[in-house]
Amino acid sequence: MRKVIFQMLISLDGYYEGPDKKLDWHNTKGGFKAYEEELFNNADTLLFGRKTYELMQSFWPAAKAFELDPFVAGKMRDLQKIVFSRTLNTVSWENTRLIRDNIKEEARHLKNMPGGNILLLASSGLALTFMDLNLIDEFHILVNPVILGGGKTIFEGIQHRYLLQLINVRNFSSGNVLLCYKPKA
């Protein structure tokens, strides 16, 4: 069975989005590239909620993205992308499919198909839905050495407690710390 991995960059005070929705504080230096390559090379599907899809689709297909990070831009182009949204009517990014209804059934079906890992990238609302359905196998939380003092918290809107078990910690020379958890049985 494939693993669903939720990956998110956060500040030390738990925000994934700073005040005014700013993301200019993301620290992707000092070993992050090797982690990112490992993560993407073991995956064949990317999952997004609407907001993250719109953000990613506005940046990654552009020529500038290929200049800045050809590896990720290529993966973003080539991997299957699935957008879960009840408000979008269409998606235009190549290799992208829209799921509007039957999210629970579609997500379970996707997870049970053969293939590589499924990456749920930076979509906190979709992560909450997948958590409620017990479909996340690993949480990769990359803590950046910055305190924002405001913004949107990673699990904003969570309704109940989830127990997790630490499975890996990775330090980066940039000061980032990757915390990997799995749901506790």
Side-chain angles (χ1 to χ4, degrees):
M1 185 183 298
R2 306 162 85 183
K3 284 196 291 188
V4 174
I5 299 171
F6 171 57
Q7 192 261 355
M8 179 75 83
L9 281 72
I10 67 168
S11 65
L12 186 59
D13 50 349
Y15 297 102
Y16 75 89
E17 187 176 84
D20 300 321
K21 299 185 179 199
K22 293 206 178 207
L23 302 174
D24 59 350
W25 53 271
H26 284 181
N27 183 349
T28 56
K29 307 240 184 294
F32 180 80
K33 190 80 175 143
Y35 159 71
E36 190 174 54
E37 287 180 9
E38 178 184 315
L39 191 67
F40 277 98
N41 283 333
N42 289 310
D44 66 4
T45 305
L46 305 174
L47 303 182
F48 302 116
R50 179 191 57 83
K51 289 178 187 174
T52 303
Y53 165 74
E54 289 173 342
L55 179 70
M56 298 287 196
Q57 194 273 333
S58 72
F59 178 75
W60 286 110
K64 182 179 180 182
F66 279 89
E67 291 171 21
L68 292 172
D69 194 334
F71 173 79
V72 173
K75 289 293 186 178
M76 288 288 191
R77 177 195 60 217
D78 297 339
L79 292 178
Q80 172 182 250
K81 294 166 286 297
I82 298 175
V83 181
F84 289 86
S85 173
R86 290 187 174 103
T87 58
L88 285 177
N89 292 316
T90 62
V91 289
S92 60
W93 199 0
E94 69 181 293
N95 298 325
T96 303
R97 182 166 62 106
L98 174 63
I99 295 177
R100 294 181 48 134
D101 300 308
N102 303 317
I103 289 175
K104 182 178 180 179
E105 294 80 16
E106 292 279 355
R108 289 183 197 273
H109 174 72
L110 181 65
K111 186 173 174 167
N112 288 320
M113 291 176 57
N117 291 336
I118 301 167
L119 303 180
L120 199 168
L121 298 177
S123 295
S124 71
L126 185 59
L128 292 178
T129 299
F130 271 62
M131 288 168 67
D132 285 342
L133 298 172
N134 295 316
L135 292 175
I136 297 180
D137 299 292
E138 292 183 13
F139 296 79
H140 288 205
I141 310 301
L142 192 73
V143 182
N144 285 224
V146 61
I147 297 171
L148 298 175
K152 190 167 182 183
T153 61
I154 184 171
F155 297 115
E156 194 165 299
I158 196 162
Q159 298 298 312
H160 39 65
R161 184 181 304 189
Y162 288 87
L163 298 177
L164 304 174
Q165 177 182 342
L166 184 66
I167 56 174
N168 191 23
V169 175
R170 189 164 166 183
N171 297 310
F172 296 87
S173 62
S174 63
N176 286 347
V177 177
L178 175 65
L179 303 171
C180 298
Y181 295 94
K182 69 178 184 178
K184 205 169 190 175

